Amino acid sequence: MATTTMTMAKALNEGLRRALEKDKKVLLMGEDIGKLGGVFRITDGLQKDFGEDRVIDAPLAESAIVGTAVGLAIRGYRTVCEMQFDGFVYPAFDQIVSQVAKLRKRSDGAYTMGLVIRLPFQGGIGAIEHHSESPEAYFAQTGGLRVVSCSTPNDAYWMIQQAIEHDDPIIFCEPKSRYWEKGEVDLDQAPHGLFETVVRREGSDVTVIGYGSTLKTILRAADTAATEGVSIEVIDARSISPLDLDPMVRSVEKTGRFVTVHEAPHMASIGSEIVAELTQRCFYSLRAPGIRVSGYHVPYPPTRIEEDYRPTVDRVLDAVDRVMGFEN
Amino acid sequence: MIDEELVQLLSPEGERVEHPEYQSTLSGDEIFGLYRDMAIIRRLCNESTSLQRQGQLALWAPIQGQEAAQIGAGRAMAPTDFSFPTYREHGIAWCRGIPPENMLRLFRAVSNGGWDPQKYRHSVPTIVLGNQALHAVGYAMGIQRDGAEEAAITFFGDGASSQGDTLEAFVWAASFNAPIVFFCQNNQWGISTPSSLQSKVPLYRRAEGFGFPGVRVDGNDVLAVYEVTKRALESARVGGGPTLIEAYTYRMGAHTTSDDPTRYRIDAEVEVWKHRDPVERVKALLAREYEIKSSAFDEVGAEADVMALKLREDVLAMSRPDPITMFDNAYATEHPLVEEGRREMIELGISAGSH
Ligand SMILES: Cc1ncc(C[n+]2csc(CCOP(=O)(O)OP(=O)(O)O)c2C)c(N)n1
Ligand SMILES: [Mg+2]
């Protein structure tokens, strides 16, 4: 087993490189992704090695990046579109929701929208406005799209390749605050399927479910809770749409309590969906209602105070205390 | 002259240039005023860059090289006009009378705006490329309906000229003959993307296809920018409709302090533009034609140093907002989810001092 240590940014870069090598129909398109290698350097060196025809520096228009990726898909190409930041995907929202999501249906299956929209999402990097948002629920609400998120370098490496190979359009959410964190990457064997939810840490008292940036926060909370005698089972959803509910159900049937954690506000959120599904499916095992830890129902704040908006270890632990203390 | 389509009234050496349509109307004192504006905003911009380097700002978007474009346009505006900027219009903000420290609130990440846009008639910064162009057109449609003799002006870059919003704004402005000036600073780059990728024709010529005039002005010539913008605004105010101004200039610095331009552009290009410096050329004119002594320039330098020091002090004194303020102004009236969040934060005991 060949494993090597790398950052999530490098793992994505290597994953994209492998996809470009494997399939000539794979293209990358985005703003500043060529010479500059992208503002996060995820595509560093790829234009040099694969040429300007395959790694395309786009004029500045997200709607056009996604709209032309649709045409390229019709022509048999698989385009990986890079949105520079979460907050800049909205000019492309119409193309994503009205076309990318619906063209297979409209063409009675004649068209395959095998494209990937890479979205550096969530906050935590002290940026200015529009650079820290969590728009995943907008996309999860749309039939025709799939939404996934990686939380480790190994997942980043494999999930980006699996997403590119997949025949449905995929919104690929990358937790930008974790780009520079290192982890082991197994270059031979994908750890899981693209739409599989995994247990990151076993526990018996409370199940805590997150994705992307919040995984690390949850794992830290689990460490702290353990010192206080509370055993947390940590679940990485990985797939946001569809949700892989079975592993969550198994966990909650065991623990009887659960908390969801994401940076997006909780109104009509992925957390809301998980709470609804688990309440329905695990009703007789539940010892407390599921609680959502989330961002607040306000525009993402100036980042000097973003750590009071994003779920912190303390807020996760507070929610854990609440479900632990619930008596009926 | 860089090319014959360009309106230029002052050569890079600071020599007057004749133009068939535009003449400078400014007195020596007024030109000195423009010089002062440019010298001060350059100094403040450099101070901001060092504040960022010292960890006092999250980010800074420098305007070095674009001072003439911004000061020329900013001073051409009437107090009653209204402008819609991007994140880079510090020179315009200066002309609108916005205190420099307010411009830095966004970049210190303590605010998403920084000033009262209604008070200064200068909207809050728009970061999403092109969005503000449509707001400016809508504002201009309001002016029209009020029968006011005012104009709106919007600023955007060569990169943003590719966005749908910008081009839709052109259509609307033309359709309704809106009193608006589209002021595009073509600084040759949108981060690493050269302006040649955004447009295969000179940008100002796009206007013709939308049905209104376009002008390319030497964006490093403050006299030309001033006259061209003034005329476009005057025309808009009296029913002449939109104008697109392409201020042909150069981003001397990095896109922002996060950017590394050595990855995508060559030094030789920057060297060429150094000789077209907007501040130096007006200084040369003032020295030669108006016999302004070097001591007068030095006084401006000293004044700018004092302002830079004050800016630094003001920025350092800008403390972290109380987190509870994130619940303010999300809505005009009470909203249960906002109140729930506010309550939760209070229960968690979070306050300005908690980090
Ligand atoms: C819709 C959107 N996409 C991407 C970005 C990221 N971005 C910020 S500035 C910039 C380049 C803009 O270039 P230009 O319009 O020429 O303005 P300049 O920065 O040169 O002043 C990009 C791509 C953004 N702010 N908004
Ligand atoms: Mg530009």
Side-chain angles (χ1 to χ4, degrees), chain A residues 30-39 41 43-45 56-64 84-85 87-88 90-91 125-131 265-268 292-294 296-310 312 314-315 318-319 322, chain B residues 56 58-59 87 106-113 125-129 131 158-164 190-193 197-198 258-260 263-265 318-331 335 337-338 340-342 344-345 348 350-351 354-355:
Chain A
E31 295 165 2
D32 304 292
I33 68 167
K35 262 195 188 152
L36 186 65
V39 293
R41 308 292 185 262
T43 53
D44 196 17
I56 304 167
D57 266 322
L60 304 191
E62 290 75 10
S63 176
Q84 202 161 75
F85 284 89
F88 306 139
Y90 307 116
I125 62 162
I128 57 173
E129 206 185 358
H130 314 291
H131 294 69
H266 69 61
M267 169 76 169
R292 295 158 297 172
V293 180
S294 69
Y296 295 108
H297 198 76
V298 294
Y300 198 89
T303 51
R304 278 296 288 279
I305 53 174
E306 72 179 322
E307 294 310 323
D308 290 312
Y309 176 92
R310 305 173 69 221
T312 52
D314 280 353
R315 280 176 63 202
D318 188 68
R322 280 162 65 201
Chain B
Q56 295 300 331
L59 186 80
Y87 43 86
L106 168 77
F107 295 96
R108 195 165 161 86
V110 299
S111 163
N112 290 339
T126 301
I127 294 170
V128 183
L129 300 173
N131 283 177
D158 45 303
S161 75
S162 294
Q163 289 284 357
I191 312 187
S192 76
T193 314
L197 188 68
Q198 316 291 349
S258 300
D259 179 36
D260 173 12
R263 289 179 73 104
Y264 56 81
R265 74 180 186 188
M318 226 177 254
S319 56
R320 184 172 173 273
D322 189 329
I324 206 83
T325 57
M326 75 174 73
F327 299 105
D328 300 343
N329 287 317
Y331 291 90
H335 188 292
L337 288 175
V338 173
E340 174 195 291
R342 201 193 302 270
E344 180 184 320
M345 192 173 278
L348 288 166
I350 289 165
S351 68
S354 66
H355 286 273

Side-chain angles (χ1 to χ4, degrees), chain B residues 140-158:
Chain B
M141 291 166 68
I143 294 175
Q144 215 170 23
R145 276 150 189 75
D146 290 343
E149 237 179 70
E150 296 167 19
I153 181 168
T154 183
F155 296 87
F156 56 94
D158 45 303

Side-chain angles (χ1 to χ4, degrees), chain A residues 244-290:
Chain A
D244 181 14
L245 290 162
D246 287 348
M248 300 185 198
V249 168
R250 276 196 297 279
S251 176
V252 173
E253 280 175 348
K254 177 174 69 175
T255 59
R257 307 176 183 91
F258 72 100
V259 169
T260 67
V261 189
H262 52 59
E263 295 191 18
H266 69 61
M267 169 76 169
S269 68
I270 307 306
S272 302
E273 182 61 19
I274 294 173
V275 170
E277 288 286 358
L278 293 183
T279 303
Q280 205 171 319
R281 290 167 195 243
C282 309
F283 190 71
Y284 293 107
S285 312
L286 283 177
R287 294 197 248 177

Side-chain angles (χ1 to χ4, degrees), chain B residues 65-320:
Chain B
Q66 298 176 227
E67 294 90 347
Q70 296 198 5
I71 297 300
R75 288 300 175 207
M77 288 177 66
T80 46
D81 294 336
F82 203 111
S83 56
F84 289 83
T86 72
Y87 43 86
R88 205 187 291 284
E89 266 66 74
H90 321 310
I92 310 296
W94 165 259
C95 294
R96 300 311 277 170
I98 292 168
E101 66 273 20
N102 289 14
M103 301 175 203
L104 270 62
R105 292 176 58 75
L106 168 77
F107 295 96
R108 195 165 161 86
V110 299
S111 163
N112 290 339
W115 55 82
D116 176 351
Q118 298 286 12
K119 175 175 169 196
Y120 296 103
R121 305 182 76 71
H122 182 66
S123 195
V124 280
T126 301
I127 294 170
V128 183
L129 300 173
N131 283 177
Q132 76 282 7
L134 285 164
H135 309 162
V137 173
Y139 188 93
M141 291 166 68
I143 294 175
Q144 215 170 23
R145 276 150 189 75
D146 290 343
E149 237 179 70
E150 296 167 19
I153 181 168
T154 183
F155 296 87
F156 56 94
D158 45 303
S161 75
S162 294
Q163 289 284 357
D165 275 15
T166 308
L167 301 165
E168 289 169 22
F170 289 179
V171 172
W172 279 62
S175 297
F176 298 108
N177 200 40
I180 182 167
V181 174
F182 294 107
F183 194 98
C184 176
Q185 287 168 82
N186 178 355
N187 63 5
Q188 313 303 325
W189 292 95
I191 312 187
S192 76
T193 314
S195 61
S196 57
L197 188 68
Q198 316 291 349
S199 184
K200 294 295 167 192
V201 298
L203 274 168
Y204 80 96
R205 280 202 216 151
R206 281 199 189 159
E208 194 190 341
F210 286 91
F212 53 88
V215 190
R216 176 180 269 192
V217 62
D218 182 345
N220 288 17
D221 170 358
V222 73
L223 301 188
V225 174
Y226 177 83
E227 297 302 337
V228 167
T229 312
K230 194 158 162 272
R231 187 179 297 179
L233 286 166
E234 278 165 0
S235 160
R237 284 185 212 115
V238 297
T243 303
L244 169 62
I245 298 173
E246 176 192 3
Y248 198 80
T249 180
Y250 195 74
R251 194 194 80 206
M252 294 299 292
H255 169 71
T256 64
T257 45
S258 300
D259 179 36
D260 173 12
T262 62
R263 289 179 73 104
Y264 56 81
R265 74 180 186 188
I266 53 168
D267 288 346
E269 184 183 287
V270 184
E271 283 306 312
V272 169
W273 281 90
K274 264 190 195 156
H275 298 295
R276 300 176 185 157
D277 187 78
V279 185
E280 287 308 316
R281 79 171 73 175
V282 75
K283 198 172 166 185
L285 172 79
L286 286 164
R288 205 187 47 259
E289 202 170 294
Y290 299 95
E291 295 174 7
I292 304 290
K293 301 271 174 308
S294 66
S295 59
F297 298 122
D298 293 345
E299 270 170 40
V300 171
E303 187 189 2
D305 285 341
V306 172
M307 284 186 194
L309 190 64
K310 174 165 186 311
L311 177 63
R312 167 170 293 267
E313 286 167 3
D314 288 343
V315 166
L316 297 186
M318 226 177 254
S319 56
R320 184 172 173 273

